[in-house]
Amino acid sequence: MSNPRKYSIEGSIASIIFIVLIGVVLVQVFGRTPLFRGPVWTEEAARWLWVWMAFIGIAEVERQDGQLKMAFLAELLPAGARRILYTVIDLVYLGIVGHLIWISYKTVLRTANNTTVTLPTTDAVLYASGLVASVLILHRIVRRLLGRRDVTVTREPTL
């Protein structure tokens, strides 16, 4: 994927969640001082926000095609073979992510009636983070498969 847009829905959401997470953690920190007594829900909220931020962040990394990969063997292949290799890898990845969506969906349904310890919601909200991120990742894989034209790996300039 070449030149992804600078801003995306995934990156914007992850950034907003990060800002909220900082606020919740600050309430936690100052709540442990003599200034005021911190609310008990901040511990669980911080954990949940971190999970949501991490999963949505994974979707942003997928959008940018910024995941770690060892492409030195693929670079040795001709362009056509490299395109086929990356297409096969993406198809396998698509199958795995599709299965993760199914698992996440069943988990959200299974936990819909579990109440949280301190937050006024169910555990399904936490597990929905995996479902949402998987759907976003699936979307990016499909777009990459449909838009694959050239899979030449750009090399970083060496000094």
Side-chain angles (χ1 to χ4, degrees):
M1 189 180 289
S2 62
N3 286 336
R5 285 187 347 253
K6 187 173 181 179
Y7 299 106
S8 69
I9 189 74
E10 296 98 329
S12 299
I13 291 172
S15 298
I16 291 168
I17 293 172
F18 181 63
I19 292 167
V20 173
L21 175 62
I22 290 172
V24 169
V25 170
L26 283 173
V27 170
Q28 261 186 316
V29 168
F30 288 119
R32 296 177 187 197
T33 64
L35 296 174
F36 67 93
R37 185 179 180 135
V40 70
W41 57 265
T42 58
E43 180 77 26
E44 191 171 23
R47 247 189 335 257
W48 283 37
L49 288 167
W50 187 88
V51 169
W52 270 93
M53 181 191 65
F55 275 121
I56 301 299
I58 292 169
E60 172 62 12
V61 169
E62 183 60 40
R63 180 191 76 87
Q64 294 179 11
D65 200 11
Q67 65 274 26
L68 293 175
K69 55 184 159 192
M70 298 180 63
F72 64 91
L73 290 176
E75 287 180 8
L76 299 175
L77 297 172
R82 199 172 332 143
R83 185 177 298 114
I84 291 169
L85 174 65
Y86 287 146
T87 301
V88 168
I89 289 170
D90 277 343
L91 288 172
V92 170
Y93 190 20
L94 190 69
I96 292 169
V97 170
H99 187 66
L100 286 175
I101 288 172
W102 176 246
I103 291 170
S104 299
Y105 174 72
K106 290 192 314 186
T107 303
V108 168
L109 291 180
R110 189 179 69 241
T111 59
N113 293 327
N114 298 353
T115 58
T116 63
V117 177
T118 60
L119 298 173
T121 185
T122 68
D123 285 337
V125 174
L126 176 64
Y127 292 107
S129 63
L131 178 63
V132 170
S134 296
V135 168
L136 290 171
I137 292 169
L138 181 91
H139 168 73
R140 295 302 177 177
I141 297 169
V142 168
R143 286 189 60 173
R144 185 169 55 233
L145 281 168
L146 294 176
R148 179 161 284 136
R149 290 181 183 84
D150 184 27
V151 293
T152 57
V153 177
T154 58
R155 293 185 178 187
E156 296 293 324
T158 56
L159 300 175

